[in-house]
Amino acid sequence: MDRNGEARSKRKQPPTPALDRPSKQLRPEASFLTEADDVAQNGVLYSAQNDADEERMLPLAAAAVDSPEWQATITRVVKNVVSIHFCQTCSFDTDPAVSSEATGFVVDAERGYILTNRHVVGAGPFWGYCIFDNHEECDVYPVYRDPVHDFGILRFDPKAIKYMPVAALELRPDLARVGVEIRVVGNDAGEKLSILSGVISRLDRNAPEYGEGYSDFNTNYIQAAAAASGGSSGSPVVNVDGYAVALQAGGRADGAATDYFLPLDRPLRALECIRKGKPVSRGTIQCQWMIKPFDECRRLGLSSAWEAAIRQGLPKETGMLVAEIVLPKGPADSKIEEGDVLVKVNGKLLTQFIRLDAVLDTSVGKPIKLLVQRGGKDIDVELTVGDLHAITPDRFVTVAGGSFHNLSYQQARLYAIAVKGVFVSEAAGSFRFESTESGWLIDSVDQKKTPNLDAFIEVMKGIPDRARVVVTYKHLRDLHTLNTSIIYIDRHWTTKMRLAVRNDKTGIWDFTDLDEPLPPAAPVPRKAQFIRLDRVKPAAAADVVRSFVRISCSMPVKLDGFPRARKIGFGVVIDAAKGLVIVSRAVVPYDLCDISITVADSIIVDGQILFMHPLQNYAIIQYDPSLVLAPVQSAKLSKETIRQGDSTIFLGFNQNLRVVVAETTVTDITTVAIPANASAPRYRAINLDAITVDTGLSGQCGSGVLVSQDGTVQALWSSYLGERSPHTNKDIEYHLGMATPTLLPVIDQIQGGKIPKLRMLNVETNIVQMSQVRIMGVSEDWIQKVEQENPERHQLFMVRKVECGHDQTLQEGDVILTLNGRLITRVSELDVMYDHDTLDAVIVRNCQEMSIKVPTVPTEDLETDRAVIFCGAVLHRPHHAVRQQISKLHSEVYVSARTRGSPAYQYGLAPTNFITAVDDVKTPDLASFVKEVNKIPDNTYFRLKSVTFDNVPWVVTMKKNEHYFPTMDLTKDVREACGWRRVTYENGSPHKGVSSLTAEVMDEGAGHEEDVE
């Protein structure tokens, strides 16, 4: 499968590329496994990630030597096996949001029931369809997912299958016996039939553990000695008569030909209950048992008398059930202890999970009696059986970007804790804690305890929008530590608090809006003092610290290829009276965001964007200075350009957000262009002179200044977002300085109350030396003029790339000599473009000197001002970085990101694709696209014509899903409180938007990295 967050090539791909679906990993049996590995302690989980990898799957046992009986059986069985294509639409409990494929098989043809694995059906919202052997397709809906065991039941409409008779496999758990020859039949829509042959060798394996993900327990697994390893989630295990005797569950791929199957006793019982319209009762005493052989039971204290009695009464048994984990505050707490050996239940000898399950499932709410051996002593225990469904979450609430539900039995069992607390299933938005995506338990919010989901909901209802509150929380892996954070509550981008409740009749989750957000409290002025750097000399330079403020930028949607949902950095106050701050665009990348400005580490105020420079990596933002009663100092910006070799003082903020100071020297000033990010174009600075200094602190600080002895700021020190490393999958940030005189023309206009409307040459240049330009046809006269004009750097500029989307007379490879009569040897001399519609240029092209008129282009439309979220894909006009890197714009509908577990993920609509048509109707822009997709009925297939970034056209078929992924239209509108108007469409009709916006679950296509610093 295309696992969420993984990098995807820009080339044309199938909907679920085989190369992105990991094969089974090799690991010894004794090793421990995490869900990411999909390797069990005693097996490999055939999870959603392991399914059907054509190129990586280990060789399967061919059926070439099968007998005629087996061939006839397999021919019948294959018609009952289906390929399941599904999305788990959001993170829930142990399951992340994924799009994948698996296998299932029909177990009731009349009612339309399919048996598959629980890790396929998932604990949370599910959306999918199945494909039969003859390639007929129909939707499937969950009917039942077991709280513990690895099976689930899906429902389909048998009438939808018109071209083949639908038959069912009969479940016969009684036929699973040692020595029985079996086949495991997996089917990928008839395109790849995998048949694993083997012989059942054991019936009493413990269930494998899969680390922090979903794991089955309290059941035995069947082991088969197989001729080869292979298979697919949900495949039937059949005997020669065509009966299903087990369900594919796991296997080993470490060289031992072994596979593990789930017995069908409990699936058969669940199926019978569903057929009769009865609830599938499931009992629990919140104790995990393990099968342990007699020799180990003896070491735990099993008496010889009881061993003899069991061996005589149950002569085929070789082990007993031993208590492994007893959950605190559960029915078995203080009554059963770890290491207790189970002897009797309700007066009868019991050594098998199947019989224990049968007793518990029929005794919910009733007392049962257990006899256990503890250290050789008989212990009689009476306890009341609890309802397993009651401690399995069937609802969750989404608020402030995060998702929450009560802690599940699965998670509690894994960490041996009580089944209580509010679990953060999607740690996003306001509730994005540190760098870990999952595993958090909320202890309190706003000084109020939240022991369960209902209490959490009531607390959240009383918190106003934009409030900052204290949250305490623990991680399941470290329950010894109570963490404390202050979070910013977002109830404007994610307006509604929504409750989702599982509906097993319809197979979908029903959403209910719980409340309207309380309006934000009015801000009040506050006092503060800056820190003092008394030991730093000169004092004027140290006093520059009063010009710094901390900037926190949170983005609810990933736009423009930007990889993060939150960034923190520092800005420099350039006008304290007006509240103007200059900050790097690596911190504030676009204006669909919330900006918080912290002054003197004390006062927090909101900020808004006034101006974003298209080329030079800075933005100017503004706060309300009347709210800040602190001695903020306007930075004094130098009008003189700092030069190579000049002494200066470096003052910056390191990774710990602490100020550092060092005297240093300018080592170089060179013209650079920040490297482009190939996999997902995003904003980068080009055509700039970058300053470097000789202190090691410069590489540790992403924000700062170079300041003179009298406190004049000579250069800004900023972060420049570069490419993503293919080796580490980390974003590279360059820390460079930019001389302040470059900033002054723009700052002067903004201080005068005017927002600059710049024009620019839509080209990227690089420097060329005299040895190169001479070969390219530049005359000796021009070379002498360059040497005289710029004695420090003998250079000219060559057009490296012409941006697409606008007409341009310059061509790639042109050497620019003059613009409007001025020789161009410095980047700052290109600034003439900002104020002119056309420029008179003298260039050298193909060794010929010529004079041309060069048009400039407006920059107002470079920033994204509209975004559409459709089927989980984030669409907007190709942003500036795309135009810089591509030679042709195929349309104005560009895929910038996509949400995990969405139709966009499932059907392969990838970031960097362009959409050119919907159902053969051309959609050159977002308006026409929205018009056409609103005509498409929900749950209906449609066609998108697309073009990859590398100009490869292709057609993707998708099915619309408005229930989980409604169409949302975001348009910049200064009249709105947050600066953007939001409209959500249902059945093609607009209404005021209420759907959640969560950038953390979006993948911009450059591979997955942590979304928050």
Side-chain angles (χ1 to χ4, degrees), residues 747-792:
I747 292 175
D748 289 344
Q749 290 188 58
I750 293 177
Q751 286 179 319
K754 180 181 178 182
I755 302 300
K757 294 185 177 180
L758 305 181
R759 300 184 67 85
M760 69 173 193
L761 291 171
N762 57 327
V763 298
E764 180 180 342
T765 63
N766 58 5
I767 58 174
V768 283
Q769 307 300 326
M770 296 302 97
S771 61
Q772 298 167 301
V773 299
R774 182 178 284 112
I775 298 171
M776 300 173 74
V778 176
S779 69
E780 295 297 325
D781 289 342
W782 282 112
I783 292 175
Q784 292 178 13
K785 291 178 181 178
V786 170
E787 293 171 348
Q788 295 170 3
E789 175 68 22
N790 191 349
E792 294 181 348

Side-chain angles (χ1 to χ4, degrees), residues 867-882:
V868 173
I869 303 175
F870 174 71
C871 285
V874 180
L875 312 171
H876 54 66
R877 288 187 303 112
H879 53 286
H880 191 200
V882 174

Side-chain angles (χ1 to χ4, degrees), residues 594-606:
D594 284 333
I595 298 174
S596 296
I597 300 174
T598 304
V599 181
D601 290 329
S602 177
I603 306 169
I604 303 176
V605 293
D606 293 336

Side-chain angles (χ1 to χ4, degrees), residues 679-864:
S679 58
R682 58 208 187 187
Y683 178 86
R684 64 191 180 100
I686 63 171
N687 302 342
L688 63 98
D689 274 344
I691 300 170
T692 56
V693 292
D694 68 351
T695 173
L697 294 177
S698 63
Q700 304 172 18
C701 300
S703 303
V705 292
L706 301 182
V707 59
S708 65
Q709 295 286 326
D710 65 355
T712 301
V713 174
Q714 300 167 301
L716 292 183
W717 195 261
S718 302
S719 292
Y720 293 75
L721 181 61
E723 73 278 24
R724 175 157 293 182
S725 169
H727 306 294
T728 64
N729 202 35
K730 298 290 185 180
D731 291 313
I732 298 174
E733 287 195 0
Y734 299 89
H735 300 158
L736 301 168
M738 182 170 61
T740 53
T742 307
L743 312 172
L744 295 178
V746 168
I747 292 175
D748 289 344
Q749 290 188 58
I750 293 177
Q751 286 179 319
K754 180 181 178 182
I755 302 300
K757 294 185 177 180
L758 305 181
R759 300 184 67 85
M760 69 173 193
L761 291 171
N762 57 327
V763 298
E764 180 180 342
T765 63
N766 58 5
I767 58 174
V768 283
Q769 307 300 326
M770 296 302 97
S771 61
Q772 298 167 301
V773 299
R774 182 178 284 112
I775 298 171
M776 300 173 74
V778 176
S779 69
E780 295 297 325
D781 289 342
W782 282 112
I783 292 175
Q784 292 178 13
K785 291 178 181 178
V786 170
E787 293 171 348
Q788 295 170 3
E789 175 68 22
N790 191 349
E792 294 181 348
R793 287 183 284 176
H794 300 164
Q795 63 187 26
L796 288 169
F797 293 91
M798 182 188 74
V799 177
R800 178 183 174 273
K801 184 76 171 67
V802 177
E803 299 172 11
C804 66
H806 294 278
D807 293 333
Q808 182 52 262
T809 55
L810 287 172
Q811 297 180 11
E812 289 158 3
D814 288 351
V815 178
I816 300 173
L817 299 177
T818 68
L819 293 176
N820 282 1
R822 181 171 182 177
L823 184 63
I824 305 297
T825 65
R826 301 176 180 86
V827 165
S828 59
E829 293 163 351
L830 292 172
D831 291 355
V832 66
M833 63 184 173
Y834 293 142
D835 302 319
H836 295 82
D837 293 343
T838 60
L839 299 170
D840 295 318
V842 177
I843 65 169
V844 172
R845 177 184 298 166
N846 298 327
C847 294
Q848 298 293 320
E849 183 179 318
M850 61 181 67
S851 298
I852 60 174
K853 292 282 189 181
V854 178
T856 60
V857 300
T859 60
E860 298 93 273
D861 64 344
L862 290 182
E863 303 301 331
T864 298

Side-chain angles (χ1 to χ4, degrees), residues 471-533:
V471 176
T472 59
Y473 52 97
K474 295 181 178 181
H475 197 277
L476 288 171
R477 289 195 298 267
D478 183 15
L479 295 170
H480 305 289
T481 304
L482 180 65
N483 304 280
T484 302
S485 290
I486 297 173
I487 64 172
Y488 172 79
I489 298 297
D490 165 24
R491 294 295 304 276
H492 45 280
W493 297 116
T494 55
T495 311
K496 300 289 186 180
M497 183 189 303
R498 306 189 77 195
L499 179 67
V501 180
R502 193 181 73 210
N503 187 331
D504 286 331
K505 292 184 178 180
T506 63
I508 63 175
W509 291 59
D510 299 325
F511 293 102
T512 304
D513 294 334
L514 295 182
D515 77 324
E516 292 289 337
L518 298 177
V524 296
R526 299 192 183 278
K527 296 180 180 180
Q529 291 294 328
F530 286 88
I531 62 170
R532 293 166 54 184
L533 304 178

